[in-house]
Structure formats: structure tokens, C-alpha cells
Amino acid sequence: VGSESLYGQVVRMVYPYAFCALGGLVSERAGVMHVGLEGILLGSALAAAVGSLALGSAWAGLAAGVTLGALFGVIHAELCAKRNVNPILSGLAINLLALGGTRSVLRGFYHSSANSPSIAGFSWLRDSHSALGATLLDPLFWLLLLVALALPWGFARTRFGLAVRGVGEAPQAAEVLGLQVPQIRYRAIVLGSAIAGLGGVALAFDAKQFQSQMSAGKGFIALIAVLIGRMLPGRVLVACVLFAVLDALQVVFQGRPGIPTELYASLPYLAALLALAIAGMRRGTQHTDG
Amino acid sequence: MTASANGARSSEGARESFAQRARGPGMALLAGYLVFALLVIAYGQSPRTILGLLFEGTLGSSYGFGQVLFKAAPLLLLSCAFEFARRGGIFNLGLDGQLALGSFAVGVVGTRLAGIPSLMALPAALLLAACGGALSAAVPWIFRQRFGAPEVVTGLLMNRLVEALISYGLGAGLGLPGTVRTADLPVGLRFARLDTWLPALRGSAVSTALLLSVAVLLLLAWLARNLRWFREYALFGMQPKVARTLQLPTKQFIAAAFLVSGAIAGLGSAVSVLGYKGYFEQGLGAGAGFSAIAVSMLGKGRVLPTLLAGLLFGALEQGGLAVNAYVPKELFQVVTAVVIASVAISDGALSRMTRRAA
């Protein structure tokens, strides 16, 4: 297995993690943990497939995925920013909604319990491209670059970005300064969820179809990437790449003698725990309940 | 100290009138039904017909009712597990992993309990189940205490990790070669099917493990009222700062919240492994966590509401199979999501818990 194919695997694996984690970061910066990322990943993957199939265009699929992400974000925000529901419970509800909803829609639209009909993704992306060429031709790459560059700039320079940080770091102080805390959280959650929706689009375009439960815990791993990256876009992205490398190793080494495949499947989760431990130790354990 | 612990109890709802207590769950169930009806209409069916089928498949026959009881039993245990942790201020979202590890432990070690009288083997198996569940819950506990990692995230992660590790274990010699199950447990190591005494339930998988579920529910409700430790524990869950000021053993409370909750969840294997299959199989009893959380939120540790909610969600699981030919049974997951969100909106006590670990 050449290094180029490993590179290719990593790149395709990184999009769902990265979009999801950057979206989750926006919400987390506003002080709301986004447990619903997993559901958004799943839901927007289906939306991307439905949009592509219904309108015959990958761009329509992309728009549908982002829209569904934002829609789930509205539900999430309506519950936890406006109605004071614990974000963990509203995130949980989002995940369950996506789990049941995608399977119901799958059956209602395509009479299948497993997957949607196949979609083309972006038609100009072919296997014949070199790995690097395929990356540069993929609109998702440019979108990820855009999001990754826009977020640090936004948090540092825009009024909204500063408000989000203020609301997340010191909600009471922000309120005293006249910021509408629920409203700012609301917008941050919807924006973050829309970004996370791009992760679902990437998932569906990569598999060339929607598959039942195809998010497979990636949303939770993304949540961990936000934590260990300490809500800094650059570090969060690095964490995502590391998780993508582990996923890619799983694909590349599949079927080789030595380590059994099932053990590879647990690698990203073990790595996530390890990363949490290291991040926790570096932070020092000032967090004590006793 | 006692006075404040008692105060904590009353604000959990003991002094509210029935109407006040029933309002939230009532509205949630109404919202759930409305969404159900809308979705059924969207599938071109009539809600009344589907509801009829649902009744027929569950309460319409004694077999169906037995199946409802069978499905309700693990939901009750898992909801007790969730409720116990919640009282201590902890969200246990790792229920599925805890149940799976408990079941796996019973399936693997249980086969080595052959020859031991069932009066001793059964408690031993339950102990194994509890330990398996607690082990899975210990990871989020340690990570929270040592590294300050939010238990919600680690709990969800453990669900996945346990699944992967079990799959590895089954392939690496702990299961029957070429299958995803363990060997049969010794014949004595079972919870008897209820249909041995109640022939009307014939064919349904409900077993005496149901009694274990109800016993755990009753015991927890009794302890919550009568044990001073439990009241202080609940006080910590609601007002950690106050509990710390009172110098209550808060570290012990956190450990209990995780480990006891995990142990109760692990006991769920009594229903599936010991009461039904007689062996462990990958995916056995999986996916009950969401419904169990809904049950727990509707019941909030009270015996009768929890039982009713358990029966309702048991009926939805069983009834889903009955209506699946007309509408996808996964609709009920959407309905469950709506119920969870609605209870959360109306219930201040659930929403007030906004402690962030990170």
C-alpha cells in the first residue's frame, strides 16, 4: 500500500470529523455542548442523498445537507437556548430523531431499510485523478478550508464572534454588558449545526449513497476532538486528522495477518480516551468534585 | 443537615399535587401522540387503524401482553440506572455499553458455572452482570475524576468501545467459533419463563427476571424515601456546593452515581441472557437506552409512573413489530425523541441540571 493511497484515505475520512468538530466548536464556544452532532451527521447525510437524487445535482445535495443541519440546529437551539432544556437532553433527542427519522424516510422514499439508491457526488471527481488532484478539485476541501480560516478570524474580529465568546466564557458578564445571551447562543448553535451538516454531505458523497447508521459514532469522536483541541480551530483540526489517520489505517490494513480487524475498529475510541486523558493531565486536575 | 436533605426531597416533587406532577408527562405523551398521528398520516395510513393494530399486537392477546412485559423488564432496569445517576447529578448515557458488558460477562463466565447449584449460580451470575455494568461505568467515572472529561461524552464513547471490544472478544476465542455468540449457559442458570406458571402467556419471552426489575425499582424508591444517605446524595445532585459546604462525602457520592448506576444497567442482562436466550449474542438487548431514558424522565423514580411508562415503551417496541408492515417501526423512535424533548421542556428539575464538567 503506497503512501498516496493512505493520504487519499485520510483525506476522505477527515471531512466528516472536521466539519462536525468545527461546527461543534462554534456551539461549544457559546457555552453549549453539542451532543446532537451525531444526529446531524446522520440526518444531513440522508438529506444530501435525497437532495442529489431529487434534483439530480450534487450542489442540491450539498444545499440540502446544510439546510437539514441548520434545521436540526433550530430544533436544538429552540430547546436549549430558548426553553432552557439541558443541552444534553436536547442533543439526545436530536440523535434519536435522526436515528428513527432517517430509517423512516429511507423506507418511505426508497423502500429500503439499509441504503438509498446510489448518487454521483461531484461528477468531475474521478478515480483517475491523482490523490492531490482529487483533493484540489473537491469543493468540500475548499469549503473546509474556508470554514477553518473563517472561524479564527470570526472569533477574533467580528462582533458576533466576540459576542459568542463572551456568552460562552462569562454568560453573566455578557448579560450585564447588554448581550442577549439566549439569542446569541441560538445563532451560534444554528450556525454550528449547519457547518456540521457539511460533514454529513461528505459522508454521503464519499459512500456514493446514504447507508443506515452510517455516522457510526463519528459525531461523538468529533465532540471529543473539540474538547481535546480546547475549542481552538487549529488544534481541533489536528485532532480530527489524527482520528482520520486511525480510520484510514483500519481500511488500509484490513485483511492483513497480524492484528485482527475487530481490534482496529476499537482504535479510534481507544485513541479518543487516551487523548482525553492526556489533555486532562496537561490541563492539570484542578477540576475536583470532592 | 437533615432539614436541608428533607427540603431537597420535597422540591423533587413530594409536595406537588398530582395534577402538577402529571402535567408535564401528560403533555409530553400528548405531543408524542400528535407526532405519531401526523407521521402515520404522512405514510398514507389512518392513525386509528395503526393504533388498533398496535393494541391488537400488544394488549390484544395474552402472548402480546407477555411480550410487552418482556420488553418492559430491561427498560425498567435501565431507567432505574439512569434515574439513580441523575439523582446524583450525573447523566449516564452509557447505558447500552453497561448492559452489553454485563451481558457479555454473564455469557462468558456463566458457562464456567456448570455444576454449581442454581440457587448459588444465579446470584453469582447477577453479581457478574452488575460488575460488568459497573466496569463499563467506571471509565467515565475515572475520566471525570482524574481528567475532568465530561461523563456524557465518555459514556457515549464507551457504548461504541464496548461493542467493538465484545466483537473482538467473540472472535478471539470467547465465543463459539464462527459465530457471534457464546456457548450455552448451564441449564440451571436461567430465570424461569413465566409461562411455566401462567400458561396464557405461552410463547412469550417474559421471565421471572421481570420480578427482579420491579424489585429493583421498589427498592430504589424505598431507599430514596427512607435512607438518609440517599437524601444527602440527592441533595448533592441538586446542590453540589451546598453538599460540599455541609462536608458530605461528595467523592463517594460521585463514585456511587456511576458505579451503582452501571451495576443496575448491567443487571438488565438477567432479562435477555438469563431469562430469554440462555447465551450471549452480539447486539442482544441493544438500543434500549433511549427508551429507558424516556421511561426514566416520565417516571422520575416514582414506582407507579415508572411502571406505566415502562409498559408504554415496552408496548411501543413490541407494537412496532405489529405495525411494521404498514408504517416503519422506527417512527416510534421519532415519537420517543419528541417525548424526551417535551418532558425536558416542562420539567424544570431536569433542565436545571446544567453542570458542565469541561
Side-chain angles (χ1 to χ4, degrees):
Chain A
V1 180
S3 63
E4 189 164 85
S5 88
L6 180 65
Y7 163 83
Q9 293 291 349
V10 171
V11 169
R12 52 178 277 264
M13 299 282 186
V14 88
Y15 292 125
Y17 286 134
F19 283 121
C20 236
L22 291 176
L25 180 148
V26 176
S27 170
E28 194 99 16
R29 275 285 180 98
V32 182
M33 189 193 266
H34 204 330
V35 184
L37 287 177
E38 177 77 9
I40 289 178
L41 202 53
L42 190 63
S44 53
L46 177 62
V50 172
S52 302
L53 287 165
L55 297 173
S57 143
W59 291 105
L62 191 140
V66 174
T67 309
L68 194 104
L71 204 66
F72 272 17
V74 167
I75 298 175
H76 194 26
E78 196 68 40
L79 286 170
C80 65
K82 214 173 202 173
R83 309 235 176 188
N84 265 332
V85 166
N86 189 318
I88 292 166
L89 288 177
S90 64
L92 198 73
I94 297 274
N95 290 342
L96 187 55
L97 177 69
L99 196 64
T102 50
R103 297 179 108 182
S104 301
V105 168
L106 209 51
R107 215 181 113 183
F109 282 15
Y110 307 122
H111 308 285
S112 159
S113 61
N115 50 259
S116 73
S118 61
I119 55 174
F122 292 107
S123 56
W124 57 86
L125 291 174
R126 303 241 161 66
D127 290 338
S128 54
H129 293 303
S130 72
L132 188 65
T135 309
L136 294 177
L137 284 173
D138 192 344
L140 286 171
F141 169 77
W142 296 104
L143 277 169
L144 180 59
L145 196 66
L146 179 72
V147 172
L149 293 175
L151 283 184
W153 174 80
F155 282 128
R157 294 292 165 89
T158 66
R159 186 188 285 258
F160 175 67
L162 289 169
V164 166
R165 278 168 58 190
V167 163
E169 281 160 31
Q172 268 130 0
E175 207 165 350
V176 171
L177 289 175
L179 291 174
Q180 303 281 327
V181 176
Q183 192 190 59
I184 290 162
R185 285 202 168 138
Y186 197 111
R187 289 179 188 167
I189 292 169
V190 175
L191 173 66
S193 302
I195 294 174
L198 282 168
V201 175
L203 215 52
F205 282 8
D206 178 54
K208 302 271 186 260
Q209 61 175 191
F210 172 80
Q211 291 155 1
S212 181
Q213 300 192 42
M214 74 190 305
S215 53
K218 287 190 162 59
F220 300 139
I221 301 263
L223 201 55
I224 288 177
V226 179
L227 291 177
I228 59 182
R230 294 197 204 171
M231 298 195 257
L232 297 167
R235 291 191 189 194
V236 169
L237 271 181
V238 170
C240 288
V241 171
L242 288 178
F243 286 124
V245 168
L246 286 174
D247 273 356
L249 285 177
Q250 196 181 323
V251 175
V252 172
F253 287 103
Q254 210 157 36
R256 289 203 175 180
I259 309 176
T261 332
E262 292 96 338
L263 211 55
Y264 274 115
S266 62
L267 264 187
Y269 310 122
L270 286 173
L273 283 179
L274 187 70
L276 275 175
I278 293 170
M281 275 191 289
R282 283 184 48 193
R283 191 167 50 224
T285 47
Q286 75 277 65
H287 171 88
T288 43
D289 290 282
Chain B
M1 201 190 313
T2 326
S4 49
N6 276 333
R9 189 171 116 205
S10 69
S11 71
E12 262 287 301
R15 301 234 175 99
E16 284 174 285
S17 73
F18 172 76
Q20 277 170 319
R21 285 201 312 267
R23 199 171 147 260
M27 296 295 276
L29 293 179
L30 187 68
Y33 175 75
L34 284 177
V35 168
F36 162 78
L38 283 174
L39 289 172
V40 167
I41 291 169
Y43 275 84
Q45 304 285 345
S46 116
R48 190 174 286 184
T49 319
I50 298 297
L51 211 57
L53 284 170
L54 201 61
F55 267 108
E56 219 171 284
T58 54
L59 303 176
S61 69
S62 50
Y63 162 76
F65 187 62
Q67 283 297 103
V68 170
L69 293 176
F70 166 64
K71 304 268 186 189
L75 291 184
L76 288 177
L77 278 170
L78 291 182
S79 77
C80 284
F82 184 79
E83 174 67 15
F84 185 88
R86 188 190 70 79
R87 280 295 182 93
I90 302 291
F91 266 111
N92 182 0
L93 298 191
L95 296 170
D96 286 310
Q98 290 147 21
L99 173 62
L101 199 59
S103 305
F104 186 58
V106 171
V108 170
V109 187
T111 49
R112 281 134 177 104
L113 293 176
I116 301 174
S118 100
L119 216 58
M120 282 163 66
L122 213 49
L126 289 179
L127 190 66
L128 270 173
C131 288
L135 184 67
S136 180
V139 174
W141 170 52
I142 293 169
F143 270 73
R144 180 182 155 132
Q145 288 304 87
R146 288 282 302 135
F147 310 119
E151 74 273 6
V152 178
V153 181
T154 37
L156 290 167
L157 197 68
M158 281 309 287
N159 291 341
R160 297 264 160 192
L161 181 59
V162 166
E163 201 185 306
L165 289 179
I166 285 178
S167 150
Y168 168 63
L170 285 173
L174 294 175
L176 288 177
T179 67
V180 288
R181 50 162 285 194
T182 61
D184 282 321
L185 293 176
V187 185
L189 199 53
R190 298 284 159 81
F191 277 95
R193 293 277 183 93
L194 279 186
D195 60 7
T196 45
W197 294 296
L198 297 167
L201 296 172
R202 187 164 317 131
S204 73
V206 61
S207 70
T208 42
L210 175 67
L211 303 180
L212 177 77
S213 304
V214 177
V216 169
L217 174 65
L218 287 171
L219 180 69
L220 283 177
W222 188 83
L223 290 177
R225 276 183 186 280
N226 296 299
L227 200 66
R228 179 179 180 152
W229 181 90
F230 203 113
R231 294 204 295 271
E232 292 173 353
Y233 168 77
L235 171 69
F236 166 69
M238 277 184 291
Q239 300 281 354
K241 277 186 192 148
V242 176
R244 236 166 259 144
T245 312
L246 294 172
Q247 296 193 314
L248 298 179
T250 53
K251 281 211 162 106
Q252 185 200 72
F253 289 156
I254 292 180
F258 281 101
L259 300 180
V260 175
S261 175
I264 299 172
L267 283 181
S269 56
V271 180
S272 48
V273 178
L274 297 172
Y276 173 45
K277 289 274 185 183
Y279 55 84
F280 173 80
E281 188 178 36
Q282 187 156 35
L284 187 61
F290 283 120
S291 301
I293 290 170
V295 170
S296 151
M297 287 173 65
L298 288 168
K300 293 188 76 185
R302 292 168 167 278
V303 175
L304 197 61
T306 307
L307 281 176
L308 288 175
L311 283 178
L312 174 67
F313 279 87
L316 290 185
E317 273 189 34
Q318 176 62 21
L321 305 173
V323 302
N324 199 30
Y326 303 90
V327 295
K329 62 177 192 293
E330 286 83 10
L331 284 188
F332 291 124
Q333 289 180 322
V334 178
V335 173
T336 307
V338 171
V339 170
I340 289 179
S342 314
V343 185
I345 290 176
S346 65
D347 196 318
L350 284 168
S351 289
R352 231 179 291 125
M353 229 175 73
T354 48
R355 202 136 49 99
R356 277 165 50 91

